[in-house]
Amino acid sequence: MADDTSGRQDAQRARETTGGATSAATTAADLNKQIVAALGTIFVPSKEDDPGYKELEAYGISEYVTKKLENSETIEEFNTAAEQFFEGKTFLKLDEKQREEYLALLIEGTKITQEGQRRNLQTFYRTVRSRILTVYYKNYPLHEVKRNSKGEPILQPSDTHQITNPNLFKSKKLVTGWDIAGFKGPLSWEEEEQLRKKAKARLNYWYEGDLVKLNADRPPAAVPSKSSDGHDYYDVVVVGGGTAGCIIAGRLSERGINPKTGDRLKVAMIEGGDDWTIRDPGIKPGYGSAIRRRMCTNIPDDVGPEGTLPGPDYRWPGDVGGPGAENFRLVGGCSLHYGGQCWMPGEEDFNFYREASGVDWDLAKFGDAIQEVRDLFHVTSPPDTWWTKGDQIWADAGRALGFEMRATSIAFRNSLGTFYDGDFLSRYDSKGTSLPWAYIGLNNGLKVIPNAEVQRIVIEKVPGGRPLATGVVYTDKAGGSHQVRAARVIVACATNWTPLLLYKSGYGPREFLGDKLLVENKNVGHHLSGDCDLHSSVFLEEPVTPEGRQGETYDEHGAWTSTTPRPWGELAVQIRSSAAGRAPETVALGAFAPEFGWGHKEYMRNGAGVRCILGWNTHLGAIPWSWRVRPDGKLERVEIDLPRVDATVREAGEIVRAWSEKLSIKPIKPDFHIFSRPSTAIQPQHRVGTARAGSSPETSVCTSDFDCHDIDHLLFTSSATIPRTFFWSCGPTAVNAAYGWRRMIANHFSTGCSTKGFA
């Protein structure tokens, strides 16, 4: 393709992206755009044969940046505040050197004597810097994936591999942030094949073919009958199609029976998100199948599911619970986008469970469930041949302090060894997820009802008897309301959303529900616990990871250690090696990146800066704190043993500082600020416990067998049932569900069980 033709296509694509912004000129009347354009040339400078920000004005970059900048009064204040330092000249009248001096003056701040003005100007500077650098290094103007009316990425003509890397089809004359950073974006098919060949030679085991397939002779999806009041009726309704919901629904469809008739169970799984993850005919580890390859673009454009948080179409409204909340709406849920670190519960976990709520669980009872998850998640350890130089010197320094280096436990099958099949959605189907159980269910008549948000559980009060759960009410994508009846309702809505659904159904603490209370249990929404990661890093005097594709290794390939021997107790500390990610928009705003100018651009060039970074993920488990989820979705801390937590954080910081001094390559600059933050500022990650299992309704919401203490025919699964978290909840959540379906079949869906409620 000729360069001039490609250039015209790039410009046309940019016009479509920016809404017709084609002019490179800015006018005096458009102050915001002028200032953004001037700042852009400072943040990403240009010179002959070295294009930067200003060369993208032809594609409307300043207009695009300005659209999402608010508070024009502050922008004007930024412009005029320069007058007091530069003899009455506004920012726009300064020369290039003076503009840089002005920005340095704002960053330092002491010459701005009015506190309010200093705060406004520094906030504006940070905001506009973040916006400009993010847009530029996200590959503007090719930063968004073009999609059709159905939201499906538009592929290049004759593309048979669903490749969605825009840099493979652009003009060589167009230089974007990815080019400066040496970032190639998603893999081409040829690169995938090369990585597969390398992985097959390095891995102990390569799985050929499909892990699971849809059978051609599978029964049709369950068809509901009609209840006496005319509503659709299933034997079982599973509310939520995430990690636990897929496991429960899949196995009940496969192995459960209607105890009244002996027939196969009619199981419906209702999921608030889409179901495109299970439309492919199978799961092919290391390759991926057509729909997932197409929908997982690996480009974080805030439209598709990729990115630090899933895009708007894949996020629950309101982002309940804030950062770290279980907010992914898609069949497969959080298991689809977690990092792949897979902690299997051990003796310590079960000790904490029993101490927290009196469950009768132990490692022996969960043995089969743990093995099931190990098998289908394919829990393994990556080969140390995938370790970078940074991983090696990190481990050597840890050993010098007397720590034992352990192999990371990850859920990968046929991993390509890059971050593309690691964090967030994997288009290559190489990450262990709960989707295999969904396929098992589909092969046994599971009915999936996607894009349906359950509004409440139908709870009936029985005179002289216990309340009954008899169904759910849900809203479809078009806003239509539906009521479905069932003999058993299983809630699998994760830690944050489970109590919110129960509140809307009239079940929970009296103080939250007031006159809307139907059934009281003070533990609903309470006892939330979580672990946390404290990330720290150093900038070294020489690179420790390679350039280009070789440096795009998945950062959980390295080692980890514990600071204390087993058995681990409260506030156990585990430390994992960490390499800085290569996504340019994140690198540009990193702790070690220069503020602006040529220093920043050289830091970004071909990953020069990020390749010198080495990090520690310091993980605290079994933290002595407790939270509750309020009806508005906000988390409220109930208690924390602040002295103990603070002491552990300080001790962990001292260990990491000593570790950095043992590195064989000298650190130039550290970033250990995380250890100085007050523990009250730390938010719980990997949250559990808001409908926890336990021995009594005085301490829990459901029994050790997941039956609701207070409402018949209502059962629970998901991270909400785990009494207390120790480390990383995806593995324990899957194990809990794998144990849960066994108990549910024994108690509800086998010969001899109660037939009450069954048609």
Side-chain angles (χ1 to χ4, degrees):
M1 185 180 293
D3 281 350
D4 58 344
T5 303
S6 296
R8 288 194 297 273
Q9 291 176 340
D10 292 336
Q12 174 62 29
R13 187 171 179 181
R15 284 192 292 272
E16 293 170 359
T17 300
T18 59
T22 59
S23 175
T26 56
T27 66
D30 191 350
L31 179 66
N32 296 359
K33 187 176 174 183
Q34 288 183 66
I35 290 176
V36 165
L39 287 170
T41 63
I42 297 174
F43 290 130
V44 191
S46 308
K47 61 184 178 182
E48 189 176 357
D49 298 326
D50 190 357
Y53 181 92
K54 71 178 182 181
E55 280 72 26
L56 296 185
E57 289 291 7
Y59 301 91
I61 188 169
S62 289
E63 185 168 340
Y64 182 83
V65 169
T66 305
K67 283 180 180 179
K68 292 191 176 181
L69 280 178
E70 299 178 354
N71 198 342
S72 59
E73 292 181 2
T74 303
I75 296 176
E76 184 173 355
E77 182 181 14
F78 169 82
N79 187 43
T80 59
E83 294 173 342
Q84 60 189 301
F85 306 109
F86 295 94
E87 299 178 343
K89 293 181 180 179
T90 63
F91 169 74
L92 287 176
K93 292 182 179 179
L94 302 179
D95 61 31
E96 183 177 339
K97 182 179 179 182
Q98 289 173 323
R99 288 176 178 179
E100 292 186 2
E101 291 173 357
Y102 179 46
L103 294 186
L105 182 150
L106 292 186
I107 296 166
E108 197 276 331
T110 58
K111 292 185 179 180
I112 306 172
T113 57
Q114 296 183 21
E115 182 180 349
Q117 185 184 51
R118 180 172 62 250
R119 183 171 58 251
N120 287 346
L121 294 177
Q122 289 181 335
T123 298
F124 170 75
Y125 167 78
R126 288 192 297 269
T127 301
V128 74
R129 177 179 182 267
S130 175
R131 176 72 179 150
I132 288 173
L133 290 176
T134 298
V135 168
Y136 182 81
Y137 283 108
K138 266 193 171 183
N139 204 39
Y140 187 94
L142 307 181
H143 59 300
E144 292 180 351
V145 177
K146 293 183 67 175
R147 297 173 184 269
N148 61 24
S149 60
K150 297 180 180 179
E152 301 165 335
I154 297 173
L155 305 175
Q156 292 291 318
S158 72
D159 177 8
T160 60
H161 300 298
Q162 295 81 39
I163 301 299
T164 48
N165 183 344
N167 270 24
L168 295 177
F169 312 103
K170 74 178 180 69
S171 163
K172 293 180 181 179
K173 292 182 179 179
L174 176 61
V175 176
T176 69
W178 279 12
D179 298 311
I180 299 299
F183 186 74
K184 296 183 178 181
L187 301 167
S188 67
W189 179 256
E190 291 72 23
E191 288 174 318
E192 286 184 34
E193 289 286 69
Q194 292 170 7
L195 286 174
R196 278 188 277 269
K197 182 178 179 181
K198 187 182 296 185
K200 289 179 182 181
R202 289 179 171 179
L203 295 174
N204 292 329
Y205 180 71
W206 184 272
Y207 189 97
E208 292 289 358
D210 288 293
L211 170 63
V212 61
K213 291 187 69 173
L214 292 180
N215 298 331
D217 59 349
R218 67 185 182 277
V223 177
S225 57
K226 291 295 181 180
S227 64
S228 58
D229 52 3
H231 296 298
D232 285 351
Y233 167 88
Y234 295 91
D235 297 320
V236 186
V237 166
V238 179
V239 183
T243 303
C246 287
I247 294 173
I248 291 286
R251 288 303 193 193
L252 293 187
S253 299
E254 177 194 37
R255 303 190 186 189
I257 65 170
N258 181 319
K260 187 173 182 178
T261 65
D263 296 333
R264 178 194 302 274
L265 282 178
K266 291 184 176 181
V267 182
M269 183 174 75
I270 303 178
E271 164 57 33
D274 207 345
D275 67 338
W276 53 259
T277 50
I278 56 171
R279 291 186 205 150
D280 277 315
I283 294 176
K284 192 174 183 181
Y287 298 89
S289 298
I291 294 175
R292 281 187 294 285
R293 285 186 61 90
R294 183 176 186 180
M295 297 299 290
C296 299
T297 64
N298 293 129
I299 297 174
D301 60 0
D302 299 324
V303 178
E306 299 87 349
T308 304
L309 288 173
D313 290 341
Y314 302 93
R315 186 183 305 142
W316 283 101
D319 213 8
V320 169
E326 296 87 341
N327 54 13
F328 204 82
R329 52 190 304 171
L330 193 65
V331 172
C334 288
S335 71
L336 294 175
H337 74 105
Y338 81 120
Q341 181 87 17
C342 196
W343 176 266
M344 289 288 104
E347 288 287 2
E348 291 92 346
D349 298 83
F350 290 102
N351 287 337
F352 285 119
Y353 299 162
R354 291 191 296 268
E355 290 172 0
S357 64
V359 288
D360 64 5
W361 301 343
D362 59 36
L363 188 57
K365 287 183 177 180
F366 275 68
D368 289 342
I370 290 172
Q371 191 59 51
E372 177 182 358
V373 174
R374 283 191 176 278
D375 290 344
L376 285 187
F377 269 18
H378 192 66
V379 180
T380 185
S381 295
D384 56 13
T385 55
W386 281 352
W387 285 17
T388 65
K389 180 180 178 180
D391 291 324
Q392 298 287 356
I393 69 168
W394 187 94
D396 289 343
R399 293 188 188 100
L401 291 177
F403 294 127
E404 176 188 357
M405 293 295 114
R406 305 169 187 245
T408 302
S409 178
I410 58 174
F412 279 123
R413 194 188 302 260
N414 295 2
S415 173
L416 304 184
T418 74
F419 75 88
Y420 288 109
D421 64 333
D423 282 334
F424 315 118
L425 273 79
S426 169
R427 70 184 307 174
Y428 311 108
D429 280 342
S430 57
K431 205 165 51 173
T433 72
S434 61
L435 291 181
W437 284 276
Y439 277 80
I440 289 170
L442 294 176
N443 281 332
N444 289 277
L446 173 64
K447 171 68 173 181
V448 177
I449 304 175
N451 300 302
E453 187 171 345
V454 174
Q455 300 298 321
R456 63 182 176 90
I457 302 162
V458 179
I459 300 174
E460 297 183 0
K461 300 292 287 288
V462 179
R466 284 166 55 85
L468 295 174
T470 60
V472 300
V473 176
Y474 72 87
T475 304
D476 62 26
K477 196 170 186 179
S481 181
H482 306 267
Q483 187 170 146
V484 175
R485 297 288 180 166
R488 301 292 184 269
V489 176
I490 303 173
V491 178
C493 294
T495 300
N496 289 71
W497 283 94
T498 292
L500 296 182
L501 175 60
L502 298 181
Y503 297 157
K504 291 192 292 185
S505 306
Y507 181 41
R510 183 176 299 275
E511 66 170 310
F512 283 170
L513 300 184
D515 59 5
K516 296 180 180 179
L517 180 71
L518 289 177
V519 183
E520 183 176 8
N521 187 310
K522 64 183 180 182
N523 299 293
V524 173
H526 287 54
H527 309 298
L528 183 149
S529 67
D531 51 23
C532 73
D533 257 339
L534 306 175
H535 182 76
S536 56
S537 55
V538 292
F539 190 85
L540 304 174
E541 62 181 3
E542 65 181 69
V544 291
T545 53
E547 287 187 34
R549 291 292 191 208
Q550 288 185 309
E552 294 174 358
T553 56
Y554 184 50
D555 83 342
E556 290 184 352
H557 286 153
W560 68 275
T561 190
S562 174
T563 61
T564 55
R566 299 188 79 163
W568 296 313
E570 276 196 334
L571 282 170
V573 178
Q574 293 186 345
I575 303 176
R576 293 177 289 150
S577 65
S578 173
R582 289 296 178 88
E585 70 273 16
T586 301
V587 174
L589 300 173
F592 301 116
E595 285 291 328
F596 52 76
W598 286 103
H600 187 280
K601 192 172 185 182
E602 293 308 316
Y603 177 91
M604 293 298 298
R605 201 181 300 277
N606 295 321
V610 72
R611 292 169 49 222
C612 296
I613 297 175
L614 199 58
W616 293 260
N617 278 333
T618 304
H619 200 92
L620 306 186
I623 302 174
W625 61 10
S626 180
W627 305 68
R628 65 179 183 175
V629 179
R630 298 186 59 83
D632 60 4
K634 294 181 180 179
L635 296 189
E636 179 182 320
R637 190 177 60 245
V638 177
E639 59 183 0
I640 181 173
D641 190 336
L642 201 56
R644 289 181 62 202
V645 178
D646 281 342
T648 301
V649 170
R650 286 194 300 270
E651 180 183 357
E654 292 169 1
I655 291 172
V656 170
R657 288 182 177 90
W659 197 317
S660 70
E661 293 172 1
K662 295 289 185 180
L663 294 171
S664 59
I665 298 178
K666 182 181 178 181
I668 297 174
K669 184 179 180 182
D671 178 22
F672 297 146
H673 78 278
I674 191 69
F675 299 112
S676 300
R677 290 181 63 195
S679 298
T680 52
I682 299 174
Q683 293 287 310
Q685 297 172 297
H686 306 122
R687 302 166 184 178
V688 303
T690 52
R692 70 183 186 180
S695 60
S696 164
E698 293 302 312
T699 60
S700 55
V701 177
C702 63
T703 70
S704 297
D705 282 354
F706 308 98
D707 293 288
C708 182
H709 282 304
D710 310 291
I711 302 170
D712 285 345
H713 305 167
L714 179 63
L715 297 89
F716 297 93
T717 185
S718 83
S719 56
T721 64
I722 298 175
R724 189 180 182 190
T725 195
F726 186 53
F727 287 122
W728 302 296
S729 62
C730 191
T733 297
V735 168
N736 242 38
Y739 179 71
W741 70 255
R742 289 169 164 83
R743 302 311 307 145
M744 292 176 188
I745 286 180
N747 294 329
H748 296 276
F749 309 117
S750 56
T751 302
C753 292
S754 170
T755 61
K756 188 176 180 180
F758 284 93

